[in-house]
Amino acid sequence: MKTIQTICLGALLLTIGMVNAAAPFGGDADVKYAKNLWTTMVNSSYAGKDSIMSQPYKGQHPHGAILDTIRGPINIDGRLLNIIIKRNYGGPGVSKETVANDPEKYLKAVTVMLKRPGYDAETKDWFWVKYKADGSIDTNPKGMKLAGKVAKGKPKGCIACHTAAPGGDMVFTSN
Ligand code: HEC
C-alpha cells in the first residue's frame, strides 16, 4: 500500500513539475531575467527617476489613458539589444500636460518588449514584461507573473494581441 502511495505521489509531483516547466511565461528563468532587466533599465535611464521620456500622447485600450513610448539600444551582458518601453499613465487629473510635468505621479505600469535574438523565432524573439510602477513584475488574474512569452491564449495576452500589428514584427507603432 505504502509503495503504491509513494508511486502515486511521485507521479503527481512529476506531473506538476511538467506542467510548471511547460508554462510559457512567468517561470523562474523569465522572472530572473525580467528582474535583471529592470535594474539595467534603471541604470540606463530607461526607468526610475529622471528617465528618458517621449512626448506623452493619448493612448488606447488596454494600454492606458496617456502613454509615452521610447525605444533604443540597451546593453545586456555586453550585447546591445533593442528595447521598446511603453509607460502607461492614469488616475485622477491625468492629461498630457500633467504627465509631462510629473510623470512619476501618474505612472501605472511599464510594458516592455525586448528583442532577444534566438529567444523564440515564432514570436519574433520578443521578451515581454509588464512591470508595476515600482518595478515589480505584474501578475495576471491567475497569479502568473507577466514575464516571458506572455501570452498567446485567452484572455488576450501581449502576444495574442500584438500578432495583429502590421508588418509582421508584432510592433504597432513605428518611428
Ligand atoms: C488587446 C491588445 C493589446 C494587448 C493585450 C497588449 N498590447 Fe501592447 N500595444 C497594443 C497597441 C494597439 C499598441 C500601440 C498603441 C499605442 O502606442 O498607442 C501597443 C503598443 C505596445 C508597445 C509599444 C510598441 C508597439 O507595438 O507599438 C509595447 C512595448 C507594448 N505594447 C507592450 C505590451 C506588453 C508587454 C503587453 C502584455 C503585458 C501588451 N503590450 C499587451 C495592443 C495591445
Side-chain angles (χ1 to χ4, degrees), residues 57 60 62-63 67 69 84 86 111-113 128-130 156-158 161-162 170-173:
Y57 59 96
Q60 48 182 284
H63 277 298
L67 305 173
T69 302
I84 313 178
K86 175 189 288 304
T111 44
V112 170
M113 295 169 68
W128 310 78
V129 200
K130 184 172 185 183
K156 267 201 173 175
C158 320
C161 190
H162 275 252
M170 303 205 157
V171 180
F172 282 100
T173 51

Side-chain angles (χ1 to χ4, degrees), residues 74-157:
I74 187 166
N75 189 327
I76 309 273
D77 303 327
R79 281 169 95 191
L80 283 184
L81 304 184
N82 286 322
I83 193 165
I84 313 178
I85 300 164
K86 175 189 288 304
R87 304 195 189 92
N88 310 264
Y89 304 94
V94 71
S95 74
K96 288 189 267 189
E97 293 71 29
T98 55
V99 167
N101 290 333
D102 190 358
E104 278 176 64
K105 182 174 173 189
Y106 300 98
L107 186 63
K108 295 291 176 212
V110 179
T111 44
V112 170
M113 295 169 68
L114 176 76
K115 193 82 153 181
R116 289 175 65 179
Y119 180 60
D120 181 37
E122 197 196 325
T123 52
K124 309 294 174 195
D125 294 333
W126 290 112
F127 181 83
W128 310 78
V129 200
K130 184 172 185 183
Y131 299 101
K132 297 183 192 171
D134 65 2
S136 59
I137 304 168
D138 206 354
T139 52
N140 71 6
K142 288 183 192 158
M144 294 168 77
K145 290 216 157 80
L146 297 173
K149 291 168 214 162
V150 191
K152 298 177 193 181
K154 282 183 175 172
K156 267 201 173 175

Side-chain angles (χ1 to χ4, degrees), residues 38-51:
W38 181 263
T39 306
T40 310
M41 283 164 60
V42 171
N43 292 339
S44 318
S45 298
Y46 281 131
K49 267 199 180 315
D50 301 322
S51 45

